[in-house]
Amino acid sequence: MSKVVLARSAGFCYGVRRAVELAEEKAAQKIPCVMLGSIIHNREVVDRLAAQGLRAVERPEDVPADCAVMIRSHGESRAVHEDFSRRGIQVFDATCPNVTRIHQIVAEAEKRGRQPVIVGTPDHPEVLAIAGWCRAPVVVSGEEELEKWLNFKENRQKLPLTFVSQTTSTKKIWEDCVKKAKKLCTNAEFFDTICGATSKRQEEARQLAAQCGLMVVVGDRQSSNTKRLAEICQESCSNVLLIERAEDLDPGQLPQVDMVGITAGASTPAWIIKEVIDKMS
């Protein structure tokens, strides 16, 4: 039987735990409330909250007038907050504090006449929310897109640029962008806003994958940090499985290895991780 090793920091991070606990608290209080989108990227958690009476709606206009709304951990744009304020809708804000800090950085940068540049996945909810605190945001997914944007028009390299990162990006993507910007730009400032918990999980996953014949990454496939963990594990381990729950595993079909590593995205609850370990053991 393979030795099964769990990464030390697998599972909920502070921001996700804070958001889920706030949602559970409001559900227990039976306050008429809906979530705007999935409060975190984990269907199991969202389904449990729905069963407790806290359902999700997809658009701000879908929030009933006689109902409170919970902002998900990824945050929302300034326009969404202003819309709820104008409509007199009570807001329970579960935005991760690390993400709120990025909103403040980009908004302040524009006040100072600078151009915010967001390094991240353009269609990710967190990135869309950050962009929503700027009048004219620039979003690049990595070094190549940054270089294309800088070279597309004359004088862009001379603009006063303020760089921030999606919290769940990787250090490599961020550092490659910083290196490129420092080489090409004459007036750039950098705020490394990658979450410390994210970096810690990624480094633990990298080290564990290098020791294992099989890595199992547990988390919702829509979760950016889960997908990043899988990518990092693949750099060091030839057998990597990304699963959402224990039911996705068939132990009889797994490669025979001496050691199996398990890690989990920051939106993966402890009960799912335990079920996976129990099935692997």
Side-chain angles (χ1 to χ4, degrees):
M1 181 178 292
S2 303
K3 179 181 179 182
V4 178
V5 180
L6 176 66
R8 183 175 301 175
S9 301
F12 277 3
C13 65
Y14 160 74
V16 167
R17 183 176 294 106
R18 173 180 174 272
V20 172
E21 288 177 352
L22 179 60
E24 290 174 340
E25 174 189 316
K26 299 309 173 186
Q29 292 172 352
K30 304 299 181 184
I31 295 174
C33 183
V34 295
M35 298 180 293
L36 181 56
S38 299
I39 191 162
I40 64 171
H41 271 152
N42 189 284
R43 286 181 293 176
E44 299 276 346
V45 172
V46 172
D47 288 347
R48 282 197 175 199
L49 290 170
Q52 296 173 47
L54 195 62
R55 65 184 179 90
V57 298
E58 293 305 317
R59 304 176 303 169
E61 55 265 37
D62 295 332
V63 177
D66 58 349
C67 194
V69 65
M70 181 162 294
I71 302 295
R72 58 188 167 182
S73 59
H74 299 104
E76 289 292 347
S77 69
R78 188 205 309 266
V80 168
H81 282 271
E82 290 177 346
D83 175 62
F84 289 143
S85 177
R86 187 165 51 248
R87 293 166 60 190
I89 290 176
Q90 184 178 14
V91 173
F92 300 118
D93 194 351
T95 305
C96 173
N98 292 332
V99 176
T100 299
R101 174 175 172 260
I102 305 176
H103 297 173
Q104 296 165 348
I105 291 171
V106 296
E108 178 60 27
E110 277 200 336
K111 284 183 180 179
R112 294 187 286 123
R114 303 186 67 84
Q115 169 66 63
V117 180
I118 306 162
V119 179
T121 305
D123 60 351
H124 189 277
E126 179 192 319
V127 174
L128 293 172
I130 296 167
W133 288 84
C134 314
R135 292 185 302 275
V138 172
V139 179
V140 295
S141 61
E143 175 190 9
E144 288 185 11
E145 280 194 10
L146 173 60
E147 186 168 11
K148 286 180 183 177
W149 182 80
L150 287 170
N151 292 329
F152 186 73
K153 285 186 179 180
E154 191 177 357
N155 292 328
R156 273 186 178 170
Q157 297 179 14
K158 297 179 182 179
L159 291 172
L161 304 176
T162 297
F163 286 79
V164 296
S165 175
Q166 180 179 345
T167 59
T168 53
S169 188
T170 66
K171 283 291 186 183
K172 184 179 188 311
I173 292 173
W174 170 252
E175 289 170 357
D176 286 348
C177 286
V178 171
K179 183 178 179 181
K180 181 64 65 176
K182 286 183 174 179
K183 180 179 179 181
L184 298 178
C185 302
T186 59
N187 185 2
E189 62 180 10
F190 307 93
F191 293 86
D192 182 353
T193 51
I194 295 176
C195 173
T198 295
S199 297
K200 185 176 181 181
R201 279 168 175 73
Q202 290 174 353
E203 184 56 33
E204 287 179 1
R206 180 179 288 107
Q207 294 181 12
L208 184 57
Q211 305 172 49
C212 295
L214 170 66
M215 278 296 295
V216 178
V217 182
V218 188
D220 195 293
R221 287 183 173 83
Q222 299 303 310
S223 166
S224 175
N225 68 74
T226 298
K227 288 187 283 189
R228 295 291 191 200
L229 283 175
E231 292 168 2
I232 288 168
C233 290
Q234 287 165 352
E235 296 172 4
S236 306
C237 181
S238 57
N239 294 307
V240 178
L241 291 179
L242 199 168
I243 64 170
E244 294 191 342
R245 58 187 67 83
E247 289 81 356
D248 298 338
L249 273 178
D250 181 355
Q253 298 297 314
L254 299 178
Q256 297 301 306
V257 298
D258 292 333
M259 191 160 101
V260 176
I262 298 176
T263 188
S267 297
T268 308
W271 81 79
I272 291 181
I273 299 172
K274 183 178 185 303
E275 288 174 354
V276 171
I277 293 173
D278 290 345
K279 194 163 186 178
M280 296 288 297
S281 301

